[in-house]
């Protein structure tokens, strides 16, 4: 090849080479799909799920991952009966702002464990309100009942008793592993194994027993029992269970099985 011809040829070919690497208007770049941002979803607090409509995630947060507060809500002037009695006790619970209803009335529904479970199972967080010798006592069960056996733990459970014109709450004294001590279909009400026991058995359907100090604290007065007379079991005058009111398609927290961590 003649010297210098190669250089001339390179100069002539350069525009063609550049044009071959330049994208034309008809070329399309391949775009990779961008990941869609995801929102962290809060899960149900029960295992077996529910066919009911779930609440929005911002409404499914519970303040009950900590022990109960000793503080009280102000009384509601136009709420009467058992629901009005327990309303001040529900500060920082999942029932605080929810309408309430009496789901079990022993006088009307029967002093019987099976009748009790027929009325309360699947209703979620509930309050037991009992009258003994003219004095109100009871307990808050954040996990409710479902007749699934075993216990239904919660660190946020508490007992209470009437104190002049106010209330005294008693927190769980351990991790809440026995807040609802028994959930059998033929057994009554157990807070712990002995802190507040209302068996609702046929032999003595109105019997109630209470021993404080192991599963629930004794409180500022150092009480050994919720009952008016120390060292004696008593008979109930009245017994109610109060639960929240939910819409027809609304999910009820803890209406089925629950975990055993006792954190809510």
């Amino acid at each position: 090849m003649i010297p210098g011809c190669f250089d001339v040829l390179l100069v002539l070919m350069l525009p063609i080479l550049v044009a071959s690497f330049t994208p034309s208007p008809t070329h399309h770049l391949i775009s990779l799909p961008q990941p869609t941002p995801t929102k962290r979803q809060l899960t149900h607090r029960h295992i077996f799920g529910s066919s009911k409509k779930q609440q929005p995630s911002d409404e499914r947060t519970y303040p009950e991952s900590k022990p109960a507060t000793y503080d009280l809500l102000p009384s509601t002037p136009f709420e009467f009966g058992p629901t009005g009695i327990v309303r001040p006790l529900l500060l920082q619970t999942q029932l605080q702002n929810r309408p309430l209803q009496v789901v079990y009335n022993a006088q009307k529904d029967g002093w019987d464990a099976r009748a009790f479970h027929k009325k309360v199972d699947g209703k979620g967080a509930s309050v037991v309100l009992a009258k003994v010798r003219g004095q109100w006592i009871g307990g808050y069960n954040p996990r409710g009942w479902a007749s699934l056996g075993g216990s239904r733990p919660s660190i946020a459970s508490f007992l209470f008793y009437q104190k002049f014109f106010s209330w005294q709450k008693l927190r769980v004294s351990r991790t809440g592993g026995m807040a609802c001590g028994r959930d059998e279909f033929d057994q009554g009400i157990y807070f712990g194994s002995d802190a507040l026991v209302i068996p609702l058995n046929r032999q003595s359907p109105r019997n109630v027993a209470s021993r404080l100090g192991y599963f629930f604290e004794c409180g500022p007065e150092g009480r050994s029992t919720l009952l008016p007379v120390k060292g004696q079991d008593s008979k109930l005058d009245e017994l109610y269970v109060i639960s929240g009111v939910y819409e027809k398609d609304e999910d009820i927290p803890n209406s089925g099985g629950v975990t055993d961590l006792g954190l809510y």
Side-chain angles (χ1 to χ4, degrees):
M1 183 177 289
I2 301 172
C5 289
F6 180 77
D7 295 336
V8 174
L9 184 61
L10 183 60
V11 171
L12 293 175
M13 293 293 294
L14 185 60
I16 299 173
L17 292 171
V18 172
S20 66
F21 288 99
T22 303
S24 68
T26 59
H27 290 169
H28 297 281
L29 297 177
I30 298 175
S31 58
L32 296 176
Q34 297 297 317
T36 304
T38 58
K39 246 175 124 178
R40 185 179 175 189
Q41 301 293 327
L42 294 177
T43 60
H44 289 280
R45 301 304 195 199
H46 47 84
I47 295 173
F48 299 102
S50 171
S51 60
K52 300 178 182 179
K53 179 180 177 182
Q54 296 183 14
Q55 302 173 24
S57 61
D58 60 343
E59 295 181 10
R60 292 193 56 77
T61 57
Y62 301 105
E64 297 181 280
S65 59
K66 297 180 180 180
T69 177
Y70 293 115
D71 296 331
L72 301 172
L73 287 169
S75 299
T76 305
F78 300 106
E79 192 168 22
F80 306 101
T83 61
I85 292 172
V86 303
R87 175 66 73 182
L89 296 159
L90 299 178
L91 182 64
Q92 294 182 11
T93 73
Q94 58 191 285
L95 298 179
Q96 175 176 338
N97 299 315
R98 185 170 289 278
L100 301 175
Q101 62 179 335
V102 175
V103 295
Y104 171 72
N105 177 349
Q107 297 276 25
K108 182 178 70 173
D109 300 317
W111 296 86
D112 177 77
R114 297 192 182 200
F116 161 78
H117 279 283
K118 184 177 180 181
K119 292 293 184 177
V120 305
D121 284 359
K123 298 298 194 299
S126 302
V127 183
V128 173
L129 179 67
K131 180 177 276 190
V132 183
R133 297 192 179 188
Q135 179 182 352
W136 292 111
I137 64 171
Y140 172 61
N141 175 9
R143 313 307 290 276
W145 293 268
S147 291
L148 293 174
S151 63
R152 297 173 73 81
S154 175
I155 196 172
S157 179
F158 61 84
L159 300 178
F160 58 85
Y161 61 89
Q162 194 174 17
K163 189 176 180 182
F164 299 108
F165 298 103
S166 186
W167 300 96
Q168 179 62 54
K169 294 182 183 179
L170 304 175
R171 292 176 176 173
V172 292
S173 55
R174 282 169 171 72
T175 60
M178 289 282 284
C180 170
R182 304 183 71 173
D183 187 36
E184 281 81 13
F185 73 97
D186 58 350
Q187 299 293 325
I189 299 166
Y190 288 79
F191 284 85
S193 62
D194 58 359
L196 176 59
V197 177
I198 305 173
L200 293 172
N201 57 40
R202 295 182 179 179
Q203 291 75 26
S204 48
R206 293 175 180 256
N207 203 47
V208 56
S210 173
R211 306 288 184 272
L212 299 175
Y214 191 77
F215 292 102
F216 287 81
E217 64 186 1
C218 297
E221 298 175 317
R223 294 180 61 149
S224 60
T225 180
L226 285 175
L227 305 178
V229 180
K230 185 190 303 185
Q232 291 184 15
D233 295 350
S234 295
K235 302 292 182 184
L236 293 173
D237 303 321
E238 300 176 45
L239 177 63
Y240 307 93
V241 175
I242 298 98
S243 301
V245 177
Y246 298 85
E247 298 295 334
K248 184 177 181 180
D249 60 348
E250 187 178 0
D251 182 69
I252 302 177
N254 296 318
S255 59
V258 298
T259 60
D260 59 358
L261 299 178
L263 298 179
Y264 41 83

